[in-house]
């Protein structure tokens, strides 16, 4: 079904990406004859620097990434780059150059998060900025910056934020593995989402593969050389009926159920029209990494030669749920290793306790294979006779940028990094990410930069490539500093004196939050739903909690609202309490030291009440390879009697507090121009009339924000009409 993007330029919830309404404010105008370099921006999901041996870390052989490594050796490797602890705030930082305290996106956006925790339609995104220099922008793969829930734009949000073309997944996260394998079995039978080979329980090496159009093909696999027949079937878009031939299936194939990386709710936006593709449509079926790559290749090859472009290939891999990729994409699988279909997709399988780690490695390797194909089929590189990548950065006018969006998930962390302080935390393992840049601008390729860089700096870098000064083009505060000088001058000194990262809770209606998820001995509210908790190998204690697990609730299934509630229940039942993944986690560093401040509301046994618990830690850190100084629990320098260390702590804390206070509230200002005026009233009126639900014009305080845009919000605008709010500032 196709839907035209609504034309609400005044409200900012429609064709802001289109001419006359695309800028979000500020100077500059579109120039269709500009000739800046093309930009290929590749985002890897949940791939921290610990996964990347090209940076000197990893501790193990895998993953093997020959194509990414070839680009890394032809460009610059930034070895001291921070993102945010989770994907949505990290990605928002890249595309608008602003910390979460300004965007309101503090954690991964979930279906219950309000529009105030989505990227604002009034923000100036990278595609809006680049449009002023004549660029076209396309995005392929994971979006996860806003919508479709609680957002007037729904699935059209990529267009509202400035992308000319989108082909991917607006909600971002892959669905759960379909343990019924398309309806063949009962729930919980096939945890990897497909029927494995005959050597595995309930497996088969042959069977009928039915497609949504009714066609069928018998697949018989050689388990030593090929994927299991069941995996081949879902990779082709089908549903597998084991040990049968084509005819009448032994069950009713279910073509309308998501299956992680093989059946996904695709959205296509082109020429202002949004199409939500049915799950039974062949375009929504097949290996997700390949679909993302194919779409990017087709769009890039269709670009006119006289118009620069930015293609964001936002790979879903290697985010959970982990699921085997096609074997053809993993040509360097180690000899003697179990076939892919023999690996477990659950962490507790006694036959394969590390199966999920191996699958995750294979998913990253499959992504590397498809990345290489992307470069070759768009003419940016070519293959040598031995199959290796021949990449010459001066052979095309294209800059390649490769990043990870946040640190690795705990289960996947490579030593010597700390899995207990991984994704979701502001510790090094949670926010230290790879950044690789290659292109004709690079002087003295195959070098490393150890200076501090933040993912917000990419926004200014994209502007630099297009000849635009982002700080002059954008009418509100951005936190970016430059990156281009590091490419052109090998002797460039650091452009930052500090680095910053933060994570927290997103706003939900009436003070709600994600339900508690228990992972071994820790409780977290990071997973956005029960299914996401379980996909990350956790046990969900929120609404719908199964009463036969640990402590029944009354009534059964009511669950617990917070991790503090979980700990209270455990304590009152005489069981050990859990550690809490911080609800708020912030960090700041200088060249040598790092301060981390965490806080959560937890149950206090002494008082029997829920109280805010806060910690402050100071660490000496560095980027030494292969064993860096990390912010592990045993290296905390606080409390200290050393006056020099205390002076460092005070200095970092003062700068941290300055940053956190640098975005004072401006009630009634919905379009982030720091002025409350008639434009805000007009915007509110249109949104309230046409939508009435969650928007950036929902002004009640966060504790009582109700997810509605109504007369209560108009009253806030009227009460502040004519007010000019304090301008914010950035600290580098």
């Amino acid at each position: 079904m196709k839907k035209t993007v609504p034309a609400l330029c005044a409200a900012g919830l429609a064709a802001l990406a289109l001419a006359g309404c695309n800028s979000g404010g500020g100077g500059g105008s579109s120039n269709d004859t500009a000739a800046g370099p093309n930009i290929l921006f590749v985002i890897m999901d949940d791939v921290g620097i610990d996964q990347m041996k090209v940076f000197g870390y990893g501790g193990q052989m895998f993953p093997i990434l020959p194509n990414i490594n070839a680009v890394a050796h032809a460009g610059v490797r930034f070895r001291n780059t921070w993102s945010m602890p989770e994907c949505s705030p990290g990605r928002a930082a890249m595309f608008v150059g602003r910390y979460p305290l300004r965007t309101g996106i503090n954690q991964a956006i979930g279906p219950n998060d309000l529009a105030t925790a989505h990227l604002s339609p009034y923000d100036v995104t990278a595609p809006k900025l680049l449009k002023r220099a004549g660029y076209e922008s396309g995005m392929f793969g994971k979006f996860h910056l806003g919508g479709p829930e609680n957002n007037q734009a729904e699935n059209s949000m990529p267009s509202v934020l400035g992308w000319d073309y989108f082909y991917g997944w607006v909600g971002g996260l892959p669905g759960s593995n379909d343990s019924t394998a398309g309806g063949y079995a009962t729930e919980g039978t096939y945890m990897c989402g497909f029927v494995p080979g005959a050597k595995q329980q309930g497996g088969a090496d042959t069977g009928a593969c039915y497609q949504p159009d009714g066609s069928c093909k018998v697949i018989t696999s050689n388990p030593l050389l090929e994927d299991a027949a069941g995996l081949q079937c879902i990779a082709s878009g089908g549903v597998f009926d084991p040990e049968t031939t084509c005819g009448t299936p032994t069950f009713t194939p279910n073509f309308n159920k998501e299956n992680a990386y093989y059946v996904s709710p695709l959205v296509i936006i082109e020429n202002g029209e949004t199409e939500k593709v049915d799950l039974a449509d062949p375009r929504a079926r097949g290996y997700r990494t390949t679909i993302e790559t194919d779409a990017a290749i087709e769009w890039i090859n269709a670009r006119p030669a006289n118009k620069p472009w930015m293609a964001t290939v936002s790979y879903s891999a290697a985010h959970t749920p982990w699921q085997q990729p096609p074997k053809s994409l993993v040509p360097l699988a180690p000899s003697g290793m179990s076939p892919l279909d023999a690996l477990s997709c659950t962490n507790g399988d006694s036959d394969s306790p590390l199966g999920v780690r191996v699958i995750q490695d294979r998913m990253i390797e499959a992504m590397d294979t498809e990345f290489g194909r992307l470069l070759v089929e768009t003419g940016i590189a070519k293959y040598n006779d031995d199959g290796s990548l021949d990449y010459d950065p001066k052979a095309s006018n294209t800059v390649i940028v490769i990043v990870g969006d946040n640190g690795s998930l705990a289960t996947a962390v490579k030593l010597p990094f700390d899995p207990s302080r991984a994704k979701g935390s502001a510790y090094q393992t949670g926010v230290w990410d790879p950044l690789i840049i290659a292109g004709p601008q690079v002087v003295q390729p195959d070098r490393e930069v150890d200076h501090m860089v933040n993912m917000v700096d990419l926004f200014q870098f994209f502007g630099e490539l297009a000849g635009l000064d982002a700080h002059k083009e954008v009418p509100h505060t951005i936190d970016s500093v430059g990156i281009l000088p590091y490419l052109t001058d090998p002797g460039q000194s650091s452009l930052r004196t500090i680095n910053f990262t933060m994570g927290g809770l997103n706003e939900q209606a009436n003070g709600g939050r994600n339900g508690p998820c228990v992972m071994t001995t820790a409780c977290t509210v990071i997973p956005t739903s029960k299914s996401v908790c379980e996909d990350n190998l956790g046990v969900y204690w929120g609404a719908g909690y199964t009463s036969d697990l640990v402590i029944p609730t009354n009534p059964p299934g009511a669950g617990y609202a917070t991790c503090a509630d979980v700990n209270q229940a455990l304590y009152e039942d005489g069981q050990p309490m859990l550690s809490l993944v911080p609800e708020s986690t912030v960090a700041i560093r200088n060249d040598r030291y790092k301060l981390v401040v965490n806080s959560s509301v937890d149950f206090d046994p002494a008082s029997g009440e829920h109280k805010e618990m806060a910690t402050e830690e100071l660490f000496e850190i560095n980027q030494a390879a292969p064993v860096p100084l990390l912010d592990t629990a045993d290296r905390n320098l606080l409390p200290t009697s050393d006056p020099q260390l205390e002076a460092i702590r005070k200095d970092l804390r003062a700068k941290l507090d300055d940053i956190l206070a640098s975005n004072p509230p401006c009630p009634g200002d919905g379009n982030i121009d720091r002025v409350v005026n008639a434009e805000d009233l007009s915007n509110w009126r249109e949104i309230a009339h046409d939508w009435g639900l969650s928007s950036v014009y929902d002004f009640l305080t966060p504790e009582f924000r109700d997810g509605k845009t109504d007369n209560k919000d108009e009253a806030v605008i009227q009460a502040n009409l004519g007010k000019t709010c304090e301008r914010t500032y950035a600290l580098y």
Side-chain angles (χ1 to χ4, degrees), residues 436-482:
I436 297 165
I437 302 179
Q441 294 80 3
V442 174
V443 173
Q444 194 180 316
D446 197 13
R447 58 183 166 90
E448 297 179 332
V449 171
D450 275 310
H451 300 311
M452 290 180 286
V453 176
N454 194 287
M455 287 301 180
V456 296
D457 300 339
L458 286 173
F459 180 77
Q460 182 158 333
F461 176 60
F462 297 143
E464 289 174 322
L465 291 175
L468 301 172
D469 183 339
H471 284 273
K472 292 181 179 179
E473 294 285 337
V474 177
H476 45 250
T477 301
I478 62 174
D479 299 292
S480 303
V481 302

Side-chain angles (χ1 to χ4, degrees), residues 461-544:
F461 176 60
F462 297 143
E464 289 174 322
L465 291 175
L468 301 172
D469 183 339
H471 284 273
K472 292 181 179 179
E473 294 285 337
V474 177
H476 45 250
T477 301
I478 62 174
D479 299 292
S480 303
V481 302
I483 291 180
L484 185 60
Y486 295 126
L487 304 185
T488 58
D489 180 6
Q492 175 65 49
S493 58
S494 180
L495 299 173
R496 282 188 168 273
T497 61
I498 57 97
N499 213 343
F500 172 79
T501 187
M502 69 174 292
L505 302 179
N506 284 344
E507 290 185 351
Q508 297 182 2
N510 303 310
R513 64 176 67 192
N514 297 332
C517 178
V518 175
M519 298 182 178
T520 61
T521 60
C523 185
T524 177
V525 292
I526 290 175
T528 58
S529 66
K530 181 176 186 291
S531 62
V532 174
C533 171
E534 293 169 347
D535 289 341
N536 283 272
L537 313 179
V539 177
Y540 190 70
W541 285 56

